[in-house]
Amino acid sequence: MSEQKPWTMKRVVAASSAGTAFEWYDFFIFGSLATTIQKVFFAGLDPTAGLVAALGLFAAGFAFRPLGALIFGVVGDRLGRKGAFLATVSLMGASTFLIGILPTYATAGIIAPLLLILLRILQGVALGGEYGGAAIYVAEHSPDDRRGEMTGWIQITASLGLIAGLLVILGTRSAVGEDAFLAWGWRIPFLFSVLLLIVSVWLRFKLSESPAFAKLKEEGEICHAPLREAFGRWENLRRVLIAFFGIMCAQGAVWYLSFFYIQVFLTKSLGVPEPTKDALVLAMTVVSAPLYVFFGWLSDRIGRKPVMIGGMLLALVAYLPGFHGMAAAANPALVEAQRAQPVVVYTDPSTCSVQFDPAGTRQFKTACDIGKSLLAGTGISYRETRSDDGRTVVAVGDERIEIPDGGALSGPELKALKDDTGKTLKAALTAEGYPAKADPARMNIPVMFFWLMVFAVASTALYGPQAAALVEMFPTNIRYTAMSLPYHVGTGWVGGFLPVTSFALATITGNVYASLWYPAVFTLISVVVALLFIRETRGKPLDEI
């Protein structure tokens, strides 16, 4: 029996990790293709509104993850871990494949984005039940003194899924070209998921039930009302709240900024070409992947708490210098132009609206709205000040562009006005030294990669020990339900809404770096709560909780 145990543990980790990596692949290709999704499914919207809508749809998948956590948490605690995560992987695979065969906006109109929203919701529900099941299944098989290391392999699956997604996207783009990729090639990453689905279901089907759950079942200790037990008793609810505020707020902020919002920042605000961005993020993801297991292993030696808090603090101090450093390295001409010729919007503030429209239904007709939305679409920071005569004028160095009002115009006329004004504004920006996009010859790739790795180290230090820490917080009979909800509220709501909210903050304030307030606040909350309330649990036997 002792000779068989290592193989058994390897099979447990491999099957659990492979299925979870596949689900992350399905979920993340959507985020990596946000700008393509915008063009294919939101072609009827303004470019800025289209991007915000695409990011909002990315967030919608996350919004439904807590619902999946509750549904499959109850299934996992009442019927078993294996059945729950077999169902989640099947639902995710089917939803992703169907996205690959959806009609586009050009062929089906509004029906296309509506169907996309439905499938995105199903993806969120599936992923909501996945992570908790896989992490718990591995943890309940692991030796007490190696639980951080073993569950670190579950944590690495997020990177493996992202790596697989980026590789398929890059490979498809290179093989068919940008025009064909936009026309039909974007479907390939979604359709490819059916192969991964077959492998994942086969691996998981061969697994047996976890020993901890099997013991509960044998002893008749299974909880028949896990929702009431997990959230109706203060002792357990308190643990749920500590898990959310002490770990998951930071997790949602740090990880999704590091691996997703950075992609929007590089392309939208800095003008980095998509292939360059994809290659950088892929390299960062590959290099950082082993760190999840390393930090999980380290938490077995020195404790979960110091490793996770260390990751939070590193992110907190790196947010502002890191994004400024990436801007200077990626597009120095833009930074120089902003410093030498800052953009100022002279307007009547009472005519300005909040430049945030996730539904894509508002038209922003006033002169102030038109001017600010056009600037927001370029990713250029600007300062707003009150005009003497109520007119809206965008000042770029010596250039002055008066923005016309479109209040009386119809949809097509308004679009034409915005297009013409946008061309005039871009010409003025170009004349004053603002680059249309980042110059590859001036990019400092090593510096860009350094800052990406700083955020990757912060993310992996927080995420690596996290599965073990969460599993060790809850008793076996409610573990699936109680652990899954705070995890998916943190990653699903705090993390999932980070790209769209951060982009909105930059748009609202006119400052691209204002987007960093969102992750900074949530990270700080977790640092304080973790220091005050989280207990060290490394090496603790699960049956003593």
Side-chain angles (χ1 to χ4, degrees):
M1 190 72 179
S2 60
E3 293 179 1
Q4 205 172 358
K5 190 172 182 181
W7 160 248
T8 303
M9 196 64 222
K10 286 178 183 177
R11 190 174 70 174
V12 166
V13 172
S16 301
S17 300
T20 307
F22 160 64
E23 295 215 35
W24 283 121
Y25 166 87
D26 280 359
F27 208 72
F28 285 162
I29 53 174
F30 195 99
S32 299
L33 292 174
T35 53
T36 302
I37 295 293
Q38 165 204 341
K39 296 170 185 174
V40 172
F41 288 97
F42 299 99
L45 303 180
D46 293 333
T48 300
L51 178 62
V52 175
L55 290 172
L57 188 56
F58 179 61
F62 286 83
F64 282 84
R65 281 170 60 174
L67 176 61
L70 292 176
I71 293 171
F72 291 106
V74 170
V75 172
D77 281 330
R78 292 188 64 179
L79 303 179
R81 315 322 193 190
K82 178 182 173 180
F85 66 29
L86 259 176
T88 62
V89 78
S90 302
L91 179 59
M92 176 66 85
S95 302
T96 305
F97 178 79
L98 289 173
I99 289 176
I101 61 174
L102 280 181
T104 65
Y105 186 92
T107 58
I110 193 65
I111 294 175
L114 290 176
L115 290 173
L116 182 64
I117 290 169
L118 174 61
L119 292 174
R120 187 64 182 164
I121 288 171
L122 293 177
Q123 279 190 321
V125 172
L127 195 57
E130 165 60 28
Y131 174 84
I136 290 168
Y137 190 83
V138 171
E140 291 180 346
H141 280 84
S142 301
D144 293 336
D145 61 349
R146 296 185 63 197
R147 194 176 297 122
E149 178 188 352
M150 292 295 101
T151 55
W153 289 101
I154 294 297
Q155 308 304 77
I156 206 175
T157 58
S159 284
L160 295 178
L162 183 54
I163 290 168
L166 289 172
L167 283 174
V168 174
I169 291 168
L170 280 170
T172 305
R173 268 200 166 109
S174 301
V176 306
E178 276 301 314
D179 291 340
F181 186 84
L182 184 59
W184 55 268
W186 62 270
R187 299 180 183 276
I188 293 176
F190 292 99
L191 298 177
F192 179 74
S193 68
V194 74
L195 300 177
L196 302 177
L197 172 64
I198 293 170
V199 174
S200 300
V201 170
W202 178 76
L203 283 171
R204 290 194 167 183
F205 191 75
K206 292 169 69 73
L207 291 174
S208 57
E209 189 52 78
S210 86
F213 184 84
K215 183 181 177 183
L216 272 186
K217 189 174 181 180
E218 184 181 334
E219 296 174 350
E221 298 285 333
I222 291 174
C223 180
H224 296 288
L227 291 176
R228 184 172 67 239
E229 185 72 15
F231 310 119
R233 290 184 56 189
W234 170 243
E235 179 186 359
N236 291 328
L237 179 60
R238 181 178 180 273
R239 296 178 185 183
V240 170
L241 294 174
I242 291 173
F244 172 68
F245 288 106
I247 299 175
M248 296 316 308
C249 281
Q251 164 60 23
V254 176
W255 206 93
Y256 289 94
L257 175 133
S258 302
F259 289 92
F260 284 100
Y261 183 67
I262 276 179
Q263 297 189 44
V264 177
F265 180 73
L266 288 173
T267 55
K268 194 68 180 177
S269 298
L270 302 181
V272 175
E274 288 276 351
T276 304
K277 177 266 294 181
D278 287 343
L280 277 168
V281 174
L282 176 60
M284 169 186 71
T285 309
V286 170
V287 173
S288 66
L291 296 179
Y292 295 98
V293 179
F294 168 74
F295 284 118
W297 169 86
L298 186 63
S299 75
D300 285 330
R301 302 301 182 275
I302 67 173
R304 321 286 188 222
K305 188 172 176 176
V307 177
M308 291 190 297
I309 291 177
M312 298 177 201
L313 291 173
L314 175 59
L316 201 55
V317 300
Y319 283 139
L320 198 59
F323 272 66
H324 276 287
M326 279 190 288
N331 198 339
L334 175 62
V335 174
E336 292 160 5
Q338 293 251 222
R339 190 178 297 122
Q341 307 289 359
V343 177
V344 181
V345 177
Y346 295 93
T347 190
D348 177 1
S350 66
T351 66
C352 302
S353 304
V354 173
Q355 296 289 305
F356 180 43
D357 181 27
T361 56
R362 298 172 62 193
Q363 292 186 309
F364 302 118
K365 289 188 172 185
T366 69
C368 175
D369 286 348
I370 292 171
K372 290 174 68 174
S373 65
L374 290 171
L375 285 170
T378 65
I380 292 174
S381 295
Y382 58 88
R383 180 170 56 87
E384 179 186 335
T385 189
R386 182 180 292 276
S387 63
D388 295 330
D389 54 9
R391 295 182 304 154
T392 297
V393 175
V394 176
V396 188
D398 295 330
E399 298 281 340
R400 296 289 187 275
I401 303 95
E402 181 172 350
I403 308 298
D405 188 89
L409 300 180
S410 64
E413 293 171 328
L414 180 64
K415 186 176 187 306
L417 173 68
K418 289 183 177 182
D419 289 343
D420 291 341
T421 308
K423 291 175 184 176
T424 304
L425 183 59
K426 285 182 180 179
L429 290 166
T430 301
E432 294 297 326
Y434 280 82
K437 59 183 179 179
D439 181 2
R442 294 194 65 188
M443 280 185 196
N444 191 330
I445 297 294
V447 171
M448 293 169 67
F449 187 69
F450 166 79
W451 282 114
L452 288 174
M453 283 305 301
V454 168
F455 289 109
V457 169
S459 301
T460 52
L462 171 56
Y463 200 41
Q466 177 188 284
L470 290 173
V471 167
E472 290 161 355
M473 291 181 74
F474 301 104
T476 304
N477 65 337
I478 60 165
R479 185 171 290 136
Y480 207 137
T481 304
M483 171 186 161
S484 294
L485 187 67
Y487 176 85
H488 287 292
V489 172
T491 57
W493 292 359
V494 177
F497 284 94
L498 187 148
V500 68
T501 308
S502 293
F503 184 71
L505 284 172
T507 310
I508 291 165
T509 62
N511 180 358
V512 296
Y513 301 104
S515 60
L516 301 173
W517 279 107
Y518 180 93
V521 167
F522 280 107
T523 306
L524 183 60
I525 288 171
S526 284
V527 169
V528 173
V529 174
L531 285 170
L532 294 177
F533 297 106
I534 287 184
R535 298 176 182 174
E536 185 54 63
T537 56
R538 71 181 174 102
K540 188 173 184 178
L542 294 183
D543 58 6
E544 292 183 7
I545 299 171

